[in-house]
Amino acid sequence: LYSRAVAIPALVKALRPKQWAKNVLVVAAPFAAGRLLEPSVAANVAVAFVAFCLASSAVYLLNDVRDAPKDRLHPEKKNRPIASGQVAPSAAVVLAVVALVASLALSTLAEPALLWVIVTYLVLQLLYVFGLKNQPVLDLAVIASGFLLRALAGGAATDIAISDWFLLVAGFGSLFVVAGKRYSELVTLEAEEGEVGQTRSSLLSYTSTYLRFVWTVAAAVTVMVY
């Protein structure tokens, strides 16, 4: 009984509920269109939000199972439930499959287009987990696409047309966030004199100067197209 009591909080933590805040991006399109408070729109936005929470948690679980050996070498990631041994990899995989299936099933309750957005997100993220995360530049693009697809999901779930300008703002804004995250990770590891390649091999191909450049350009384009 004690082990089960300990395992449940660890499983919840492994789902990374703090990261669900990213899924609030699904309200962007309905909010910009001035239709967020319509009952049917609000209901479909809620469906999109929960579906993305489940889908992203499934990806996080699979990613942490695959990256557990490297995470143990990272100053912060070593405390993640799977890397620290609080959650068994087998339990994490089972929970990921359940979350993935639940996400797809739930997305069918809104507009049909939402299901395709969720499927696209899952395919790209699984490609990232099982290979693209080690490919420089592509890793930035795939992570940025995750933010963009969240913004698209709000429009897809509510049948609200999304303009090219909205896509540009969301896309380059996402790249700004991702480049900043990679820059922070690289600088932190260098400051702590850690071996960069041990925790994320793609970081070996980046320099702080390059990531600052991408960060700056993305910010400039975002402001300009907005």
Side-chain angles (χ1 to χ4, degrees):
L1 290 176
Y2 176 75
S3 62
R4 290 180 181 178
V6 172
I8 292 176
L11 281 171
V12 172
K13 184 179 179 181
L15 292 171
R16 299 198 208 176
K18 291 182 179 180
Q19 299 294 332
W20 291 348
K22 298 175 183 176
N23 300 320
V24 175
L25 282 170
V26 300
V27 310
F31 177 79
R35 296 181 57 190
L36 183 58
L37 298 181
E38 295 178 16
S40 60
V41 171
N44 283 347
V45 168
V47 168
F49 175 79
V50 177
F52 253 97
C53 287
L54 291 168
S56 59
S57 287
V59 173
Y60 291 142
L61 287 166
L62 294 175
N63 179 75
D64 288 355
V65 169
R66 186 172 176 81
D67 279 3
K70 288 187 176 181
D71 285 349
R72 295 187 184 102
L73 303 174
H74 193 277
E76 295 180 2
K77 294 179 182 180
K78 65 182 180 181
N79 296 317
R80 287 177 176 175
I82 298 171
S84 63
Q86 299 176 60
V87 174
S90 57
V93 171
V94 170
L95 185 57
V97 172
V98 171
L100 190 153
V101 172
S103 173
L104 295 175
L106 183 63
S107 65
T108 61
L109 299 179
E111 293 291 330
L114 176 62
L115 175 61
W116 293 110
V117 173
I118 295 288
V119 169
T120 302
Y121 169 83
L122 287 170
V123 169
L124 287 174
Q125 296 303 312
L126 290 175
L127 286 174
Y128 172 83
V129 169
F130 292 101
L132 292 183
K133 66 164 54 183
N134 299 318
Q135 303 301 317
V137 181
L138 285 179
D139 67 325
L140 297 180
V142 173
I143 298 177
S145 74
F147 290 98
L148 178 59
L149 286 169
R150 286 174 170 88
L152 285 174
T158 55
D159 198 25
I160 292 175
I162 295 179
S163 71
D164 293 339
W165 296 110
F166 181 92
L167 291 175
L168 286 169
V169 171
F172 281 97
S174 300
L175 183 58
F176 167 76
V177 172
V178 175
K181 181 180 178 182
R182 279 290 180 274
Y183 173 76
S184 175
E185 186 173 4
L186 180 62
V187 170
T188 298
L189 288 172
E190 289 177 343
E192 295 183 0
E193 298 182 351
E195 190 171 336
V196 174
Q198 284 187 338
T199 58
R200 190 185 299 277
S201 59
S202 64
L203 285 177
L204 289 170
S205 301
Y206 292 125
T207 63
S208 57
T209 302
Y210 173 76
L211 290 173
R212 278 201 307 270
F213 170 75
V214 175
W215 197 10
T216 303
V217 170
V221 175
T222 301
V223 172
M224 182 177 67
V225 296
Y226 177 80

